[in-house]
Coordinates of all heavy atoms in Angstrom, one line a residue:
K20 N 93.8 -112.6 206.9 CA 93.0 -113.6 206.2 C 93.6 -113.8 204.8 O 94.4 -113.0 204.3 CB 91.6 -113.1 205.9 CG 90.8 -112.7 207.2 CD 89.5 -112.0 206.8 CE 88.7 -111.6 208.1 NZ 87.4 -111.0 207.7
P21 N 93.4 -115.0 204.2 CA 93.9 -115.2 202.9 C 93.6 -114.1 201.9 O 94.3 -113.8 201.0 CB 93.3 -116.6 202.5 CG 93.2 -117.3 203.8 CD 92.7 -116.2 204.8
E22 N 92.4 -113.5 202.1 CA 91.9 -112.5 201.2 C 92.8 -111.2 201.3 O 92.7 -110.3 200.4 CB 90.5 -112.1 201.5 CG 89.5 -113.3 201.4 CD 89.3 -114.0 202.8 OE1 88.4 -113.6 203.5 OE2 90.1 -114.9 203.1
D23 N 93.6 -111.1 202.3 CA 94.5 -110.0 202.5 C 95.8 -110.1 201.6 O 96.6 -109.2 201.5 CB 94.9 -109.8 203.9 CG 93.7 -109.5 204.8 OD1 92.9 -108.6 204.4 OD2 93.7 -110.0 205.9
T24 N 96.0 -111.3 201.0 CA 97.1 -111.5 200.2 C 97.2 -110.5 199.1 O 96.2 -110.4 198.3 CB 97.2 -112.9 199.7 OG1 97.3 -113.9 200.8 CG2 98.3 -113.2 198.7
A25 N 98.3 -109.8 199.0 CA 98.4 -108.8 197.9 C 99.8 -108.2 198.0 O 100.5 -108.4 199.0 CB 97.3 -107.7 198.1
V26 N 100.1 -107.4 197.0 CA 101.3 -106.5 197.2 C 100.8 -105.2 197.8 O 99.8 -104.6 197.3 CB 101.9 -106.2 195.8 CG1 103.1 -105.2 195.9 CG2 102.4 -107.5 195.2
Y27 N 101.4 -104.8 198.9 CA 101.0 -103.6 199.6 C 102.0 -102.4 199.2 O 103.2 -102.6 199.3 CB 101.0 -103.8 201.1 CG 99.8 -104.6 201.6 CD1 99.7 -106.0 201.2 CD2 98.8 -104.0 202.3 CE1 98.6 -106.7 201.7 CE2 97.7 -104.8 202.7 CZ 97.6 -106.1 202.4 OH 96.6 -106.8 202.8
Y28 N 101.4 -101.3 198.8 CA 102.1 -100.2 198.4 C 101.9 -99.0 199.3 O 100.8 -98.7 199.7 CB 101.7 -99.7 197.0 CG 101.9 -100.7 195.9 CD1 101.0 -101.7 195.6 CD2 103.1 -100.8 195.2 CE1 101.2 -102.6 194.6 CE2 103.4 -101.7 194.2 CZ 102.4 -102.6 193.9 OH 102.7 -103.5 192.9
C29 N 103.0 -98.3 199.7 CA 102.9 -97.1 200.4 C 102.7 -95.9 199.5 O 103.3 -95.9 198.4 CB 104.2 -96.9 201.2 SG 104.2 -95.4 202.3
H30 N 101.9 -95.0 199.9 CA 101.6 -93.8 199.1 C 101.8 -92.6 199.9 O 101.5 -92.5 201.1 CB 100.1 -93.9 198.6 CG 99.6 -92.7 198.0 ND1 98.8 -91.8 198.6 CD2 99.8 -92.2 196.7 CE1 98.5 -90.8 197.8 NE2 99.1 -91.0 196.7
A31 N 102.2 -91.5 199.2 CA 102.4 -90.2 199.9 C 101.7 -89.2 199.0 O 102.0 -89.2 197.8 CB 103.8 -89.9 200.2
A32 N 100.9 -88.3 199.5 CA 100.4 -87.2 198.8 C 101.1 -85.9 199.3 O 101.2 -85.6 200.5 CB 98.9 -87.0 199.1
V33 N 101.7 -85.2 198.3 CA 102.5 -84.1 198.6 C 101.9 -82.8 198.0 O 101.5 -82.8 196.9 CB 104.0 -84.3 198.1 CG1 104.8 -83.0 198.2 CG2 104.6 -85.5 198.7
V34 N 101.9 -81.8 198.8 CA 101.5 -80.5 198.4 C 102.7 -79.5 198.4 O 103.3 -79.4 199.5 CB 100.3 -79.9 199.2 CG1 99.9 -78.5 198.8 CG2 99.1 -80.9 199.1
S35 N 103.0 -78.9 197.3 CA 104.1 -77.9 197.3 C 103.6 -76.7 196.5 O 103.4 -76.7 195.3 CB 105.3 -78.5 196.5 OG 106.3 -77.6 196.5
G36 N 103.2 -75.7 197.3 CA 102.6 -74.5 196.7 C 101.3 -74.9 196.2 O 100.4 -75.4 196.9
I37 N 101.0 -74.6 194.9 CA 99.8 -74.9 194.3 C 99.8 -76.3 193.6 O 98.8 -76.7 193.0 CB 99.4 -73.9 193.2 CG1 100.4 -73.8 192.1 CG2 99.2 -72.5 193.9 CD1 99.9 -72.9 190.9
Y38 N 100.9 -77.0 193.7 CA 101.1 -78.3 193.0 C 100.9 -79.4 194.0 O 101.2 -79.4 195.2 CB 102.5 -78.4 192.4 CG 102.8 -77.3 191.4 CD1 103.6 -76.2 191.8 CD2 102.3 -77.3 190.1 CE1 103.9 -75.2 190.9 CE2 102.6 -76.3 189.2 CZ 103.4 -75.3 189.6 OH 103.6 -74.3 188.7
G39 N 100.4 -80.5 193.4 CA 100.2 -81.7 194.2 C 100.8 -82.9 193.5 O 100.9 -82.9 192.2
Y40 N 101.4 -83.8 194.3 CA 102.1 -84.9 193.7 C 101.7 -86.2 194.4 O 101.4 -86.1 195.6 CB 103.6 -84.7 193.8 CG 104.1 -83.5 193.2 CD1 104.2 -82.3 193.9 CD2 104.5 -83.5 191.8 CE1 104.7 -81.1 193.3 CE2 105.0 -82.3 191.2 CZ 105.1 -81.1 192.0 OH 105.5 -80.0 191.4
D41 N 101.8 -87.3 193.7 CA 101.6 -88.6 194.3 C 102.9 -89.4 194.2 O 103.4 -89.5 193.1 CB 100.4 -89.3 193.7 CG 99.1 -88.6 194.0 OD1 98.7 -88.7 195.1 OD2 98.5 -88.0 193.0
Y42 N 103.3 -90.1 195.2 CA 104.5 -90.9 195.2 C 104.1 -92.3 195.7 O 103.2 -92.4 196.6 CB 105.6 -90.3 196.1 CG 106.1 -89.0 195.6 CD1 105.6 -87.8 196.0 CD2 107.1 -89.0 194.6 CE1 106.0 -86.6 195.5 CE2 107.6 -87.8 194.1 CZ 107.0 -86.6 194.6 OH 107.5 -85.4 194.1
W43 N 104.8 -93.3 195.2 CA 104.5 -94.7 195.5 C 105.8 -95.4 195.8 O 106.8 -95.2 195.2 CB 103.8 -95.4 194.4 CG 102.5 -94.8 194.0 CD1 102.2 -93.9 193.1 CD2 101.2 -95.2 194.6 NE1 100.8 -93.6 193.1 CE2 100.2 -94.5 194.0 CE3 100.9 -96.2 195.5 CZ2 98.9 -94.6 194.3 CZ3 99.5 -96.3 195.9 CH2 98.6 -95.5 195.2
G44 N 105.7 -96.3 196.8 CA 106.8 -97.2 197.1 C 106.8 -98.3 196.1 O 106.0 -98.5 195.2
Q45 N 107.8 -99.2 196.2 CA 108.0 -100.3 195.3 C 107.1 -101.5 195.6 O 106.9 -102.3 194.7 CB 109.4 -100.8 195.3 CG 109.8 -101.7 196.5 CD 109.9 -101.1 197.8 OE1 109.8 -99.9 198.0 NE2 110.0 -101.9 198.9
G46 N 106.5 -101.5 196.7 CA 105.6 -102.6 197.1 C 106.2 -103.6 197.9 O 107.4 -103.9 197.8
T47 N 105.5 -104.2 198.8 CA 106.0 -105.4 199.6 C 104.9 -106.5 199.6 O 103.7 -106.2 199.8 CB 106.4 -104.9 201.0 OG1 106.9 -106.0 201.7 CG2 105.2 -104.4 201.8
Q48 N 105.3 -107.7 199.4 CA 104.4 -108.8 199.2 C 103.9 -109.3 200.6 O 104.7 -109.5 201.5 CB 105.0 -109.9 198.5 CG 104.1 -111.2 198.3 CD 103.0 -111.0 197.4 OE1 103.1 -110.5 196.3 NE2 101.8 -111.4 197.9
V49 N 102.6 -109.4 200.7 CA 102.0 -110.0 201.9 C 101.2 -111.2 201.4 O 100.4 -111.1 200.6 CB 101.1 -109.1 202.7 CG1 100.3 -109.8 203.8 CG2 101.9 -107.9 203.2

């Protein structure tokens, strides 16, 4: 739908030991 128009970003949640991290892609236009 036209309402879906946006930049779409990939996200990853990473757990390393007791630490947590968030990573993002550069985005792709839809």
Side-chain angles (χ1 to χ4, degrees):
K20 305 174 181 179
E22 304 92 90
D23 296 318
T24 295
V26 177
Y27 284 70
Y28 296 92
C29 183
H30 169 261
V33 174
V34 176
S35 180
I37 64 172
Y38 302 102
Y40 304 90
D41 293 291
Y42 295 92
W43 296 91
Q45 82 286 352
T47 184
Q48 177 71 47
V49 171

